[in-house]
Amino acid sequence: MTVGPTTRRRQLGADLRRLREAQGLTLEEAGARVGISKATLSRYETKEGTVKWPAVDALCREYGASDEERLALVELAKGAKIQGWWRSLADPIPESMNLMLTLEDEVVREDHYACMYIPGLLQTRAYAEAVHRASEVQCPEREVQHMVDIRMKRQELLEREDPPHLWCVIDEAALRRQVGGPDVMREQLRHLRSTLERPHVTVQVLPFAKGAHAAAVGSFAVLRGPSRELDVVYVDLLGGGLFMEKPKELERYRLAFEYLSAQALDLESSAGVIDRIGKEL
């Protein structure tokens, strides 16, 4: 899978920190050796902002990195400025969505637990429009269509030659909630059913009969990067979302998803539930 700019930047920060700590150097000591401030080096390691590749090269030499690793990190630094497709959109998008698009463009796998709506990557256009109108009651129609256009564009992620694995555990409540009315919902369930045929999409249904479970607080997604330390959790909140990447937070949500998947129906039984609910509409 092609590694995008944000993943490059985050990988670079993680690797620079690992190399420095392996040498037992503080930020101040390491920065002094290559002529950059403690604050600048801290920013390099926190996966945010721009980096200068000559400084990365100098740091790698001070840390005793192999030529192969040094050259690889320099290439990461050079490639971290490339921008994603959404940067060229005429209309602005919310900052939280900008981060989601950036991370999603570079994932190798997405784990979604959905208790309210069908996950965005599996929504039909009519269903997505109904969701957005319900969420933003006073939103102008032009903005509704803009946001739905972006959601539809996001779905091209699944059409790539080497797409990420999308794994969704969907609560039965999300399947039974008639978003947009019976016709829209029937179309949505047919579309969801068809996605089960894709080898890189896994959909499980968590039925009401399972009772209380590990994520009763709400929907979330674990966006998995090329390495574990690059994973990010996204949690739905009213008016936006929250991104988390601290190790304890990540582990909590990874474990919650494992429990949810274990409690949910198998693939064949899940398909049967989707078919049955569709016929009841």
Side-chain angles (χ1 to χ4, degrees), residues 112-140:
H112 286 256
Y113 167 64
C115 65
M116 180 67 71
Y117 300 124
I118 306 300
L121 289 174
L122 300 180
Q123 292 178 4
T124 64
R125 185 174 188 93
Y127 183 96
E129 288 176 352
V131 168
H132 197 77
R133 289 193 182 102
S135 301
E136 303 290 343
V137 179
Q138 297 181 332
C139 188

Side-chain angles (χ1 to χ4, degrees), residues 204-223:
Q204 293 179 274
V205 174
L206 185 64
F208 289 143
K210 290 294 182 178
H213 54 75
V217 293
S219 302
F220 67 88
V222 182
L223 308 175

Side-chain angles (χ1 to χ4, degrees), residues 2-272:
T2 301
V3 178
T6 298
T7 292
R8 292 190 190 101
R9 180 65 185 87
R10 297 170 71 229
Q11 185 69 65
L12 176 63
D15 285 345
L16 287 176
R17 181 170 207 162
R18 173 179 55 79
L19 288 171
R20 175 180 60 79
E21 290 178 344
Q23 294 298 310
L25 297 172
T26 65
L27 286 167
E28 190 170 12
E29 291 168 342
R33 292 191 181 190
V34 297
I36 62 176
S37 69
K38 173 183 176 181
T40 297
L41 182 52
S42 176
R43 180 172 55 78
Y44 276 26
E45 292 185 5
T46 53
K47 314 166 191 173
E48 297 177 357
T50 58
V51 294
K52 296 181 179 179
W53 72 259
V56 171
D57 183 83
L59 286 166
C60 286
R61 292 177 188 277
E62 284 295 329
Y63 297 156
S66 67
D67 287 343
E68 181 180 5
E69 186 167 27
R70 175 176 57 80
L71 292 173
L73 293 185
V74 167
E75 285 303 308
L76 283 177
K78 290 179 178 179
K81 296 180 181 179
I82 302 170
Q83 301 297 329
W85 58 265
W86 56 93
R87 299 287 189 175
S88 61
L89 295 174
D91 293 331
I93 61 176
E95 185 57 34
S96 62
M97 178 170 284
N98 177 60
L99 181 53
M100 170 59 87
L101 293 173
T102 301
L103 294 171
E104 192 170 67
D105 197 47
E106 302 166 8
V107 296
V108 297
R109 174 174 150 179
E110 286 193 32
D111 295 340
H112 286 256
Y113 167 64
C115 65
M116 180 67 71
Y117 300 124
I118 306 300
L121 289 174
L122 300 180
Q123 292 178 4
T124 64
R125 185 174 188 93
Y127 183 96
E129 288 176 352
V131 168
H132 197 77
R133 289 193 182 102
S135 301
E136 303 290 343
V137 179
Q138 297 181 332
C139 188
E141 184 61 22
R142 180 173 181 273
E143 184 177 333
V144 170
Q145 295 305 320
H146 173 55
M147 301 304 285
V148 173
D149 284 345
I150 293 174
R151 182 159 298 182
M152 295 300 102
K153 181 71 174 177
R154 281 175 57 202
Q155 295 181 3
E156 294 181 11
L157 182 75
L158 301 178
E159 306 298 333
R160 291 177 177 176
E161 184 176 340
D162 184 21
H165 187 161
L166 178 64
W167 193 321
C168 300
V169 174
I170 304 177
D171 196 283
E172 185 176 344
L175 299 175
R176 292 191 176 277
R177 181 170 289 105
Q178 289 194 26
V179 175
D183 290 341
V184 169
M185 203 62 206
R186 272 192 291 269
E187 179 194 28
Q188 174 61 66
L189 291 176
R190 284 195 298 269
H191 175 67
L192 180 62
R193 182 67 174 81
S194 71
T195 64
L196 273 63
E197 307 302 321
R198 297 186 179 191
H200 56 280
V201 176
T202 300
V203 174
Q204 293 179 274
V205 174
L206 185 64
F208 289 143
K210 290 294 182 178
H213 54 75
V217 293
S219 302
F220 67 88
V222 182
L223 308 175
R224 297 181 181 262
S227 58
R228 238 174 126 76
E229 67 267 22
L230 297 181
D231 291 356
V232 177
V233 168
Y234 173 80
V235 179
D236 274 338
L237 296 174
L238 186 64
L242 176 66
F243 293 89
M244 297 181 286
E245 57 180 340
K246 293 180 179 179
K248 287 186 178 179
E249 296 169 338
L250 288 170
E251 196 55 36
R252 179 182 179 188
Y253 280 92
R254 288 191 196 106
L255 189 59
F257 189 80
E258 289 178 11
Y259 284 149
L260 288 164
S261 179
Q263 288 178 287
L265 299 175
D266 61 33
L267 304 187
E268 185 176 351
S269 299
S270 295

